[in-house]
Amino acid sequence: MSVVVRPAVAEDAARLAEVSRAAIGESAASHYTPAQRAVWAARRTTEAHLRYVGTTSVLVAEVDGGVAGFASVALSAVDGLVPGEVDQLFVDPSAGGRGVARELLAAVEALARSAGLTGLVTHASWRAVPVFERAGFRQEEVESVTVDGEVLTRARMVRALS
């Protein structure tokens, strides 16, 4: 299986929303309650992903010509994100365990380095923490966010690019 990483385009937005909702619904099921996943997934709209493509650097991983996952990183401060903030990392559950996330994070790191950034930060779901750890991130603290009345916990993680 070959993973090809490319920049996202506006036409990817609907598929990115589908992938993120599938990952939240299936892959995160053992880490978050149905209610937590429902409010989290409700925010994953085509319009939101179109905005992400327009404001951050979104990278798409393709396997056999289809979108298998994506990641985004802010290369400058935008929409409350700091430079080097990996805001999204989602892999379609059907493509899990095949190195898609690893390839996406390697591409994010290369893009950040080429932009002159010296570090990355993310707010990883519990499902994503091991993936980020394998990519060299380390946990700094546990955070809680409230989304439509549901409290979700996550880990703030950092990675130096020295």
Side-chain angles (χ1 to χ4, degrees):
M1 178 191 84
S2 176
V3 178
V4 176
V5 178
R6 63 166 175 82
V9 294
E11 292 77 19
D12 292 319
R15 179 67 181 127
L16 302 183
E18 290 172 3
V19 167
S20 61
R21 287 191 302 263
I24 292 165
E26 295 176 42
S27 302
S30 61
H31 297 82
Y32 296 93
T33 69
Q36 289 170 319
R37 293 191 324 272
V39 298
W40 182 11
R43 294 177 174 243
R44 312 309 302 188
T45 64
T46 299
E47 296 75 20
H49 286 279
L50 186 59
R51 188 179 75 251
Y52 301 141
V53 170
T55 58
T56 63
S57 294
V58 180
L59 299 170
V60 171
E62 292 185 338
V63 174
D64 299 328
V67 174
F70 68 96
S72 68
V73 60
L75 299 179
S76 59
V78 62
D79 286 346
L81 303 176
V82 298
E85 188 165 340
V86 181
D87 187 41
Q88 303 177 87
L89 174 64
F90 289 99
V91 174
D92 190 294
S94 67
R98 298 183 187 171
V100 173
R102 180 182 62 244
E103 293 296 326
L104 283 166
L105 287 175
V108 162
E109 180 180 331
L111 188 60
R113 285 181 188 278
S114 71
L117 299 177
T118 58
L120 297 171
V121 62
T122 194
H123 306 275
S125 71
W126 294 120
R127 168 62 186 97
V129 165
V131 175
F132 280 100
E133 287 176 333
R134 286 190 295 274
F137 284 73
R138 65 175 172 74
Q139 287 187 51
E140 281 201 325
E141 65 182 295
V142 174
E143 305 172 318
S144 294
V145 293
T146 301
V147 179
D148 296 333
E150 291 292 326
V151 177
L152 289 85
T153 58
R154 62 189 186 184
R156 183 178 189 283
M157 303 181 78
V158 296
R159 164 111 165 72
L161 299 178
S162 55

